[in-house]
Amino acid sequence: MSRRGSLTVRPKKALLSTRSYIDQMDGGLTSVQGAQEIISMITSRRLVTKLILGHNQLGDAGCIVLFRFLSSAIGRKYRITEISLNSNEISDEGLLAISEHLRNDVYLKEFFLQNNRFTGDDTVIQTFASCLNTSRLEILSLTTNSMLSDPFSTSFFPTLNSDSLQELHISSTGITQRSLAPIIEYISSGRCRLHTLKCNGNSFGLRGVSTLVKAIDTGNYSLVNVELFSNHSATPDDVDDEDIPDWKTTESLLGRVLGRNIHLRQQTAKEALQLLRHSRAAILHPSSRFPIEVQLYILSFLAPSLSEAQRLNIYNYASTPKTLPNLLPTLQSYDGPVCVPDPLNMGLSVWEIHRTGGCTSCSGSLVCHRDRERQKWLGIVRCSFFDPGYP
């Protein structure tokens, strides 16, 4: 029995074209036709930020068509930040097309290429790494590409020199102890900016894992998350050599090293922010009679953990008026990132999002915009992690 005057209001369904991502996981997409379907989906929308295309059969032909479009003038209008192409039967020819898209790309942040058919060809891998170096990619997953093996490591790591890459997944890629030398050379060099390295399910053996952990201990301060599980393919040397520590001892050492790196990373960030605050006042509004060299020397005591190069980067940043934040809010509508509240805590706190993108309280957020901007600044001045100050 209906009540007179009652009105049922149903929420409007969100139009598919208004979503900012395309999710075609296991969507039956095949070769060129599948790529053309994806392109049609992209062009029918105003905004696309993610392409979730795993478990299809695009192959090389579909991959080439898709990335030619994404690299075109029309495709570049879509600021896609994440692409997932795992299990798509893509081989080296498709990887070259991907490489050309990565060249000088500034939007793509996360790329997932698990379980494809890359072979580790020297020319292809060097081209891929060189293009990656010019991009802003932060996360790369090549897990379960078992045909890559050791030739991949000997070509990829000596070429890798990305300022943006922070997370690398190379689990179950068939690499052995032969890959240790190029990996260790990379993580011990100033070219390494990684905070996460996942290398599970390979064939390092106890000797290889122990060697890698010791290299991190003596020559790396950026890594805070390292996974080396299921590398138990022991060689006879592992069994007979009493000088090699056991798995438990090696795991304990790795935990201590990563704990050290976490502590130094936090201390570096804290001192960098403190040094910036005081450098602004001292450099932009000098009131002291001391020469600038003496002032900078005095300021250095506020950040004893930073290297000389890191302090100089902060001084240069602080001395540029253009880097000062705006005093007045913009009159234009804000279309940038904002803090993302945790839906489990939304009932416990009140959220107020400013037009400038900041929030009054981030205690219950999943993603804090201010923290992301802070991390971005730390990267600009090379203070994302501790720098021992020697080559």
Side-chain angles (χ1 to χ4, degrees):
M1 182 176 179
S2 61
R3 296 181 179 178
R4 183 177 299 179
S6 63
L7 178 63
T8 302
V9 179
R10 296 181 179 179
K12 294 182 179 180
K13 294 183 178 179
L15 296 176
L16 185 63
S17 59
T18 62
R19 296 181 181 177
S20 64
Y21 64 92
I22 292 176
D23 188 350
Q24 287 292 309
M25 173 78 73
D26 198 15
L29 301 172
T30 304
S31 193
V32 174
Q33 182 179 355
Q36 291 173 341
E37 291 180 25
I38 298 168
I39 294 171
S40 297
M41 295 178 194
I42 295 174
T43 54
S44 66
R45 308 183 186 200
R46 183 182 64 85
L47 177 67
V48 177
T49 59
K50 295 183 181 181
L51 295 178
I52 312 300
L53 308 172
H55 295 276
N56 287 290
Q57 296 179 348
L58 292 178
D60 287 337
C63 185
I64 291 171
V65 171
L66 175 61
F67 280 94
R68 279 180 180 171
F69 166 76
L70 294 177
S71 301
S72 67
I74 297 176
R76 292 289 185 185
K77 293 180 181 179
Y78 296 90
R79 300 182 178 184
I80 297 175
T81 61
E82 179 182 335
I83 299 178
S84 177
L85 280 171
N86 52 300
S87 301
N88 262 278
E89 302 180 0
I90 303 171
S91 64
D92 291 346
E93 190 175 355
L95 188 59
L96 287 174
I98 291 171
S99 301
E100 287 305 313
H101 176 70
L102 285 176
R103 191 186 302 275
N104 298 318
D105 181 79
V106 297
Y107 299 120
L108 188 61
K109 304 299 182 184
E110 303 178 27
F111 210 160
F112 300 94
L113 291 165
Q114 308 97 302
N115 195 33
N116 282 290
R117 297 179 176 178
F118 311 133
T119 65
D121 178 81
D122 180 70
T123 302
V124 173
I125 296 302
Q126 286 188 9
T127 300
F128 176 66
S130 297
C131 293
L132 189 155
N133 292 340
T134 66
S135 73
R136 301 287 179 85
L137 194 68
E138 297 177 359
I139 301 176
L140 173 64
S141 178
L142 295 169
T143 295
T144 61
N145 282 284
S146 58
M147 290 191 293
L148 287 176
S149 195
D150 295 320
F152 162 78
S153 300
T154 56
S155 300
F156 182 73
F157 287 101
T159 310
L160 185 60
N161 188 20
S162 170
D163 289 335
S164 303
L165 190 64
Q166 301 174 17
E167 194 165 325
L168 179 62
H169 305 177
I170 51 172
S171 297
S172 301
T173 50
I175 57 179
T176 69
Q177 291 188 10
R178 296 186 182 92
S179 295
L180 284 174
I183 292 176
I184 289 175
E185 191 277 330
Y186 170 70
I187 65 173
S188 302
S189 71
R191 296 179 288 119
C192 180
R193 297 285 185 271
L194 299 178
H195 63 63
T196 297
L197 175 63
K198 296 185 179 182
C199 198
N200 306 305
N202 288 300
S203 301
F204 287 155
L206 177 56
R207 175 185 290 275
V209 170
S210 177
T211 301
L212 185 56
V213 171
K214 289 179 181 177
I216 298 172
D217 181 21
T218 57
N220 182 279
Y221 295 91
S222 67
L223 287 167
V224 296
N225 182 19
V226 176
E227 295 184 5
L228 295 167
F229 302 111
S230 299
N231 271 281
H232 292 72
S233 299
T235 64
D237 291 339
D238 290 345
V239 177
D240 299 334
D241 195 340
E242 297 180 354
D243 294 332
I244 302 177
D246 57 24
W247 286 102
K248 187 175 182 180
T249 302
T250 301
E251 184 178 3
S252 177
L253 174 60
L254 178 60
R256 292 196 301 271
V257 171
L258 298 182
R260 175 203 67 188
N261 288 357
I262 291 172
H263 170 74
L264 291 175
R265 172 185 286 263
Q266 294 172 343
Q267 187 64 26
T268 298
K270 178 181 178 181
E271 292 184 8
L273 292 167
Q274 180 174 265
L275 183 60
L276 174 65
R277 186 181 305 114
H278 294 282
S279 297
R280 289 282 200 198
I283 297 175
L284 291 179
H285 303 285
S287 59
S288 174
R289 296 180 180 179
F290 293 113
I292 186 64
E293 294 82 3
V294 176
Q295 294 183 52
L296 297 183
Y297 175 73
I298 295 173
L299 286 170
S300 69
F301 288 95
L302 295 172
S305 299
L306 302 188
S307 67
E308 186 65 27
Q310 289 175 322
R311 288 195 290 266
L312 287 175
N313 289 338
I314 294 175
Y315 296 149
N316 289 332
Y317 185 91
S319 63
T320 306
K322 291 182 179 180
T323 62
L324 287 168
N326 294 326
L327 295 178
L328 297 176
T330 177
L331 297 178
Q332 299 177 352
S333 61
Y334 181 75
D335 193 27
V338 297
C339 299
V340 179
D342 186 348
L344 298 178
N345 293 332
M346 287 183 69
L348 301 179
S349 60
V350 177
W351 282 80
E352 296 181 11
I353 305 298
H354 291 306
R355 295 184 183 275
T356 55
C359 65
T360 56
S361 174
C362 288
S363 58
S365 64
L366 291 176
V367 178
C368 175
H369 169 57
R370 294 183 64 185
D371 183 64
R372 290 168 61 182
E373 291 298 311
R374 188 179 299 117
Q375 294 303 320
K376 180 180 178 180
W377 174 78
L378 289 171
I380 291 174
V381 296
R382 303 286 183 137
C383 291
S384 297
F385 54 88
F386 174 74
D387 179 8
Y390 50 80

